[in-house]
């Protein structure tokens, strides 16, 4: 890294370096470790690493998967055989230990928020003027010249420091920071409500005592039915025990399947979706005619597995009794990474009347609470919106045109080759935007792939070929689930990992024998880095 004498418009010297990384969450520290030999600069807007594990968790938030399925390849959990789900505090401790062990922290600039990106690469390219070579090849990631200028706000002040990089990796993620707020009719929004309205992002910032005071003996409405909403309703029920405790009402627009644990009729859940043999039942990109024919012939088995799992969930929990049975098959939730673990004792609180449900596609505020399209009302003191986040807005706020317009082309999904490189955005990568069953594992594996690409251990295909691959993945997602815009690869994650291994020159079959290869679950320890 070096300083140059040229001053920018804010009269601060521009700092020049090879690689910049935006975001210090799971993906940010993973890529910082894999590219540590370049001494990258990591910008983290807050005062801590951890991303959503630091800023978007409740007191009751736990990891959704077993710790062995959520660990780095070269840094196992110290008690990895413990079957309990780690709390968010334990996950944060694990991430801090990883960053400290591999000395990642030295590269992180805390309280440094990226507010603007400027492309300063070659403007004379014949490919849309965005830095791609004339024969439609992507080109080298480290070209020896500055490609992106990055404006960084320091300590939430008026000070803006400019940096210049050959290559930038964006890891700010899809969740947190910008809440997704529903639209309301005129004079039917939160402004007319006499109570308190907040988003889960606001609730996450409360200390335990303040959160308990907010919920205790209050009529609370939670809008949503995904994991954060379920956890929040459970916290509300626990804060309202006793005679004076008020029930929590969950307002549900779309129902989703939840599972009580990772066993189905006595069988481990991984057998159904997370083995190489089980993923043969599902479509994958560029599968060829014979593979497509096999998927078609096996489709009754695929649907049968979904029904088999649904039968267990309907037996295990009173979903039909409370009108909570989704209309879509279970496999559509799994294919969109929306399967959630139901909080322990959730339906015990439902049976006690501490959690109520109201299914409605349209609702709005009135003075005393919530009104629904059927004319019914629910009184409330507090309304908490568990309605998700606007992840794309974070990117659009800092990325300039024409690149900003390319983010959702052509179907609302980011066309990312190997889940990392946008074929039409030069010298930039995105890690943490394509979901899987374990986002930590997929982020680390893509970071290994990106490190190999930066080190020129392999080359990218032509731009046209990369675009074709990403469009094929989008088509597979569309055929797998109506919720395809979640951009999830869970049903062909092993094939995705195989492609990364092939690019890196590794064997794609990672098990010791063919029985384990066909029927064993794949996890991070199967992908330890090869020299």
């Amino acid at each position: 890294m070096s300083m140059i004498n040229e001053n920018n418009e804010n009269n601060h010297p521009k700092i020049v370096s090879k690689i910049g990384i935006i975001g210090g969450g799971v993906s940010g520290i993973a890529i910082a470790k894999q590219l540590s030999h370049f001494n990258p600069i990591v910008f983290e807007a807050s005062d801590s690493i951890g991303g959503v594990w630091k800023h978007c968790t409740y007191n009751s938030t736990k990891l959704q998967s077993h710790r062995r399925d959520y660990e780095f390849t070269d840094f196992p959990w110290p008690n990895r055989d413990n079957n309990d789900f780690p709390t968010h505090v334990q996950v944060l401790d694990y991430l801090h230990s990883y960053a400290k062990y591999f000395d990642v922290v030295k590269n992180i600039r805390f309280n440094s928020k990226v507010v603007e990106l400027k492309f300063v690469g070659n403007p004379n390219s014949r490919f849309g003027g965005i830095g791609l070579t004339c024969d439609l090849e992507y080109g080298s990631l480290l070209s020896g010249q500055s490609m992106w200028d990055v404006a960084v706000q320091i300590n939430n002040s008026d000070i803006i420091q400019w940096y210049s990089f050959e290559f930038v990796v964006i890891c700010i993620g899809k969740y947190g920071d910008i809440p997704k707020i529903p639209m309301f009719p005129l004079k039917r929004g939160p402004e007319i409500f006499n109570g308190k309205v907040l988003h889960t992002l606001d609730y996450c910032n409360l200390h335990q005592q303040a959160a308990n005071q907010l919920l205790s003996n209050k009529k609370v409405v939670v809008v949503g039915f995904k994991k954060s909403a379920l956890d929040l309703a459970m916290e509300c029920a626990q804060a309202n025990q006793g005679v004076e405790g008020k029930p929590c009402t969950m307002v549900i627009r779309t129902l989703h399947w939840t599972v009580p644990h990772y066993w189905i009729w006595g069988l481990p859940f991984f057998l159904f979706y997370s083995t190489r043999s089980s993923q043969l039942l599902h479509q994958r990109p560029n599968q060829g005619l014979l593979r497509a024919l096999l998927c078609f012939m096996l489709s009754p088995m695929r649907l049968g597995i979904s029904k088999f799992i649904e039968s267990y969930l309907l037996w295990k929990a009173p979903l039909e009794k409370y009108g909570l049975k989704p209309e879509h098959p279970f496999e559509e939730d799994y294919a969109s990474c929306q399967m959630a673990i139901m909080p322990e004792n959730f339906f015990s609180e439902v049976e006690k009347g501490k959690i109520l449900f109201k299914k409605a596609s349209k609702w709005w505020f009135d003075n005393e609470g919530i009104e629904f399209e059927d004319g019914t009302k629910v009184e409330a003191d507090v309304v908490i919106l568990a309605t998700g986040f606007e992840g794309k807005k974070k990117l659009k706020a800092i990325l300039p045109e024409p690149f900003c317009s390319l983010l959702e082309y052509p179907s609302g999904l980011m066309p990312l080759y190997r889940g990392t490189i946008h074929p039409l955005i030069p010298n930039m990568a995105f890690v943490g935007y394509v979901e899987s069953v374990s986002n930590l594992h997929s982020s680390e594996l893509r970071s290994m792939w990106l490190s190999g690409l930066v080190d020129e251990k392999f080359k990218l295909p032509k731009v046209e070929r990369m675009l074709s691959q990403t469009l094929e993945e989008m088509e597979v997602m569309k055929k797998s689930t109506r919720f395809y815009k979640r951009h999830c690869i869970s049903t062909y994650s092993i094939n995705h990992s195989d492609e990364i291994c092939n690019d890196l020159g590794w064997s794609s079959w990672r098990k010791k024998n063919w029985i384990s290869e066909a029927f064993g679950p794949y996890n991070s320890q199967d992908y330890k880095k090869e020299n």
Side-chain angles (χ1 to χ4, degrees):
M1 184 172 65
S2 63
M3 296 280 288
I4 64 174
N5 292 325
E6 175 188 356
N7 289 349
N8 61 24
E9 55 267 38
N10 292 309
N11 295 319
H12 288 282
K14 187 186 297 181
I15 299 176
V16 179
S17 190
K18 281 186 174 295
I19 297 176
I21 299 171
I22 305 174
V26 170
S27 299
I29 61 174
I31 189 62
K33 187 262 183 181
Q34 297 298 330
L35 294 176
S36 60
H37 52 298
F38 288 102
N39 197 29
I41 300 176
V42 183
F43 301 109
E44 167 54 43
S46 73
D47 60 358
S48 172
I49 65 169
V52 293
W53 285 108
K54 174 66 176 178
H55 305 292
C56 298
T57 56
Y58 311 149
N59 296 312
S60 62
T61 300
K62 292 185 177 182
L63 185 64
Q64 284 281 280
S65 56
H66 194 284
R67 66 190 70 209
R68 284 177 296 182
D69 297 323
Y70 196 85
E71 68 179 2
F72 294 102
T73 58
D74 51 4
F75 196 75
W77 281 83
N79 52 347
R80 66 192 308 269
D81 292 326
N82 187 331
N83 289 323
D84 294 334
F85 295 109
T87 67
H88 71 281
V89 175
Q90 291 172 316
V91 174
L92 268 179
D93 286 343
Y94 173 72
L95 297 177
H96 278 282
S97 297
Y98 172 85
K100 182 179 179 180
Y101 182 81
F102 290 107
D103 204 16
V104 171
V105 178
K106 70 178 182 182
N107 297 112
I108 303 177
R109 307 286 176 89
F110 292 107
N111 297 307
S112 299
K113 181 180 179 180
V114 173
V115 294
E116 184 180 359
L117 291 166
K118 287 184 179 180
F119 181 69
V120 293
N122 178 15
N124 299 317
S125 168
R126 287 165 50 192
F127 195 84
I130 56 174
L132 297 172
T133 57
C134 298
D135 56 355
L136 301 188
E137 290 183 353
Y138 190 90
S140 173
L141 297 182
L142 297 181
S143 59
Q145 65 176 8
S146 295
M147 301 294 287
W148 290 96
D149 280 354
V150 179
V152 180
Q153 183 182 30
I154 309 298
N155 292 321
N156 200 31
S157 67
D158 294 331
I159 300 174
I160 301 295
Q161 174 68 63
W162 283 86
Y163 293 76
S164 189
F165 299 102
E166 296 178 39
F167 178 54
V168 172
V169 188
I170 298 183
C171 307
I172 56 179
K174 298 193 294 184
Y175 305 109
D177 296 324
I178 301 180
K180 186 176 182 179
I181 306 297
M183 300 291 291
F184 300 102
L186 184 64
K187 296 183 179 180
R188 289 291 184 269
E191 69 279 357
I192 70 167
F193 176 50
N194 293 329
K196 187 175 182 62
V197 180
L198 64 162
H199 189 270
T200 51
L201 190 60
D202 306 306
Y203 182 82
C204 290
N205 293 325
L206 298 176
H207 295 296
Q208 186 167 357
Q209 183 178 358
N212 189 67
Q213 289 178 348
L214 177 75
L215 304 177
S216 182
N217 297 326
K218 302 288 197 329
K219 292 175 283 187
V220 180
V221 171
V222 175
V223 181
F225 196 68
K226 293 182 183 178
K227 179 58 180 172
S228 60
L230 295 169
D231 285 346
L232 185 51
M234 193 64 185
E235 287 198 10
C236 182
Q238 292 171 343
N240 281 278
Q241 297 297 308
V243 178
E244 296 189 7
K246 304 292 193 300
C248 170
T249 302
M250 298 190 75
V251 176
I252 308 168
R253 186 179 67 173
T254 304
L255 290 166
H256 292 283
W257 293 96
T258 57
V259 297
H261 44 66
Y262 286 113
W263 291 86
I264 304 294
W265 294 120
L267 298 173
F269 187 85
F270 71 76
L271 285 178
F272 303 107
Y273 292 106
S274 300
T275 66
R276 192 174 290 276
S277 58
S278 66
Q279 294 201 351
L280 281 174
L281 303 176
H282 300 271
Q283 293 187 61
R284 68 185 189 194
N286 305 309
Q287 60 187 358
L289 182 60
L290 291 177
R291 182 73 166 69
L293 181 61
L294 179 64
C295 280
F296 177 76
M297 294 175 62
L298 294 176
S299 59
M301 184 181 296
R302 185 180 71 246
L303 296 175
I305 288 173
S306 184
K307 290 292 184 183
F308 181 74
I309 295 173
E310 290 168 29
S311 70
Y312 177 78
L313 300 181
L314 293 172
W315 172 79
K316 187 68 175 177
L319 301 181
E320 291 180 304
K321 176 181 177 179
Y322 292 102
L324 299 178
K325 179 185 176 183
E327 297 178 358
H328 56 272
F330 171 83
E331 71 168 16
E332 289 199 39
D333 275 342
Y334 184 84
S336 56
C337 295
Q338 295 192 101
M339 183 190 77
I341 295 289
M342 181 66 73
E344 189 176 359
N345 299 322
F346 181 85
F347 280 104
S348 297
E349 298 300 327
V350 174
E351 295 283 354
K352 288 158 55 178
K354 294 299 182 181
I355 300 176
L356 309 175
F357 306 101
K358 173 65 178 181
K359 193 172 185 301
S361 58
K362 294 182 181 180
W363 61 274
W364 45 85
F365 286 94
D366 69 8
N367 293 339
E368 304 301 323
I370 298 286
E371 183 177 353
F372 303 98
E373 57 185 339
D374 62 1
T376 59
K377 297 182 179 182
V378 171
E379 292 185 359
D381 301 308
V382 180
V383 175
I384 306 179
L385 305 174
T387 48
F389 302 92
E390 297 278 11
K392 291 276 179 64
K393 284 187 177 180
K394 290 195 289 182
L395 284 175
K396 291 179 178 179
I398 61 174
L399 204 61
E401 293 292 357
F403 310 109
C404 190
S405 300
L406 300 173
L407 292 178
E408 296 181 304
Y409 178 83
S411 60
L413 298 177
M414 290 177 64
L416 297 177
Y417 180 73
R418 300 289 189 255
T420 306
I421 292 291
H422 194 303
L424 299 178
I425 302 181
N427 294 73
M428 179 173 285
F430 302 82
V431 180
Y433 289 88
V434 180
E435 296 186 59
S436 69
V437 175
S438 173
N439 289 328
L440 181 149
H441 163 61
S442 57
S443 289
E444 185 189 25
L445 192 57
R446 291 177 188 134
S447 296
M448 293 178 179
W449 179 86
L450 193 57
S451 177
L453 181 62
V454 173
D455 291 336
E456 298 186 341
K457 293 182 178 179
F458 61 92
K459 291 186 177 181
L460 292 172
K462 297 284 182 75
V463 169
E464 183 180 6
R465 176 72 188 89
M466 288 195 288
L467 285 173
S468 175
Q469 170 83 8
T470 59
L471 293 175
E472 178 67 21
E473 289 179 2
M474 291 179 189
E475 288 303 313
V476 169
M477 291 178 201
K478 286 182 180 180
K479 293 176 183 178
S480 301
T481 174
R482 70 196 67 189
F483 310 111
Y484 66 90
K485 289 188 178 181
R486 295 271 302 188
H487 210 161
C488 172
I489 62 165
S490 61
T491 56
Y492 61 91
S493 59
I494 295 176
N495 176 72
H496 180 82
S497 299
D498 287 350
E499 292 175 331
I500 287 178
C501 289
N502 290 334
D503 287 345
L504 290 168
W506 301 354
S507 170
S508 58
W509 284 38
R510 315 294 294 179
K511 301 289 188 180
K512 294 180 180 179
N513 56 66
W514 71 267
I515 295 178
S516 297
E517 191 64 55
F519 303 109
Y522 262 92
N523 57 46
S524 60
Q525 294 303 303
D526 293 307
Y527 294 96
K528 290 183 177 180
K529 196 169 186 177
E530 296 182 7
N531 294 324

